[in-house]
Amino acid sequence: MGPEDIDAIAEKTDFSGVVRIDRGGQVEFARAYGLAHRAYRIPNTVDTRFGMASGSKGFTALVVLSLIEGGALKLDTTARSLLGRDLPQIADDVTVEHLLTHTSGIGDYLDEEADTAIIDYVIGAAHELTSTEAFLPLLDGHATKFAPGERFGYCNGGFVVLALLAERACGIGYHDLVRQRVLLPAGMTSTEFLRSDELPADAAVGYLPLDEVDRSNVFHLPVLASGDGGIHTTAEDVSAFWRALFAGDIVDRVDEVVRPRRDVPEESMRYGLGFWLHESTDTVFLIGYDAGVSFKSAHDPRTGTTRTVISNTTPGAWPIADALMP
């Protein structure tokens, strides 16, 4: 697929965001489309920061895995051993590994199997969600869906629980853990936890899929991202992340991170520890989808090729991502 093909899809779909392709450390393509702020007609640039939704679940996984390498946690550490009396409906035998692989079976505060639309207001007091501990009332009261290890069941809340366990295991806040253990070693200088109600000039506003209305996602997502995703990043920083990960700069055992743990046939993919995996090749994915956000980045470690599509609209990334990442 050449630049003209990407441009054609972008024009046809009114794409808003950035597309970047790197190969062997060289930038083959990097182009921005659409508007970062529609009311003021501010265009996106290749350096614009976008929310990446569940794409940053991988960062949470790497924080946990780095703590495991340091001895503060183990894959078989039970959530209950650190939760104490909090979240009593989480089964006592749910482990860190179950949470990392979406096999915990715990009830989810943001259940993707539920019959809700992306434009629904499902979180409630989004402005109060500024810390991991603040998620406790939201995570509480959800019945177990299946026994730990029984099957794969994508769980957003499970990654907030992982962030909570990481904090309690080492006494450092989740946001600082991500900065220290992922962003800094990866050289991701433009990636940060931004409040949705205090976005800086270089960050794109996320827009909902509403006809003839430019409504932002400010009331749909936590005001500050936590363990299940939502950090703001650039396409360049995403490329830096993949290079650092496979160079061993973030965790030592990258092979364990990307070793397939579960087949997910309904998605035609597999899953490792916090990362999606191609069903038959070595390609690794980070994927995010939420109100006003769509993101997909694929990295082939054999060729050092990274393809990233990031958008500030709910459906925006998929047409180009589907064409670039078969």
Side-chain angles (χ1 to χ4, degrees), residues 24-260:
Q26 300 298 314
V27 181
E28 286 193 350
F29 182 88
R31 192 165 297 173
Y33 304 84
L35 297 175
H37 199 304
R38 295 178 182 177
Y40 297 105
R41 311 300 296 175
I42 298 172
N44 285 316
T45 74
V46 293
D47 298 318
T48 296
R49 294 196 275 184
F50 297 84
M52 61 189 297
S54 290
S56 56
K57 279 186 171 72
F59 300 170
T60 303
L62 291 171
V63 163
V64 170
L65 292 168
S66 71
L67 291 175
I68 289 173
E69 290 183 349
L73 287 170
K74 297 180 179 179
L75 283 176
D76 62 0
T77 297
T78 63
R80 182 59 51 212
S81 67
L82 290 163
L83 290 176
R85 295 183 178 180
D86 291 330
L87 306 180
Q89 296 207 46
I90 292 181
D92 289 346
D93 55 346
V94 168
T95 67
V96 166
E97 185 169 10
H98 288 137
L99 294 165
L100 283 170
T101 56
H102 296 286
T103 60
S104 69
I106 70 172
D108 197 355
Y109 83 97
L110 193 60
D111 191 345
E112 298 197 8
E113 296 178 353
D115 186 21
T116 57
I118 201 72
I119 61 173
D120 291 345
Y121 296 90
V122 296
I123 289 182
H127 65 284
E128 296 179 356
L129 301 176
T130 59
S131 68
T132 311
E133 293 282 345
F135 276 78
L136 279 172
L138 201 61
L139 297 170
D140 202 8
H142 303 284
T144 295
K145 298 178 69 174
F146 55 87
E150 180 179 297
R151 64 176 176 88
F152 180 95
Y154 193 86
C155 184
N156 290 288
F159 271 69
V160 183
V161 173
L162 283 169
L164 188 63
L165 300 181
E167 288 186 348
R168 293 187 177 184
C170 68
I172 300 172
Y174 168 75
H175 299 116
D176 285 335
L177 284 171
V178 173
R179 294 183 188 105
Q180 295 169 9
R181 295 175 178 261
V182 180
L183 306 185
L184 184 61
M188 301 174 72
T189 58
S190 296
T191 305
E192 186 53 273
F193 294 95
L194 303 177
R195 285 185 61 111
S196 62
D197 57 356
E198 294 179 0
L199 291 180
D202 65 346
V205 174
Y207 290 99
L208 305 180
L210 300 172
D211 293 335
E212 301 179 1
V213 176
D214 290 336
R215 185 175 297 164
S216 83
N217 62 357
V218 67
F219 296 122
H220 288 74
L221 307 177
V223 70
L224 194 62
S226 188
D228 57 346
I231 200 170
H232 281 73
T233 192
T234 66
E236 181 178 9
D237 268 15
V238 173
S239 293
F241 166 76
W242 288 119
R243 290 193 298 270
L245 175 63
F246 281 94
D249 295 335
I250 303 175
V251 293
D252 295 331
R253 295 296 307 276
V254 183
D255 58 327
E256 285 298 301
V257 177
V258 300
R259 179 168 64 85

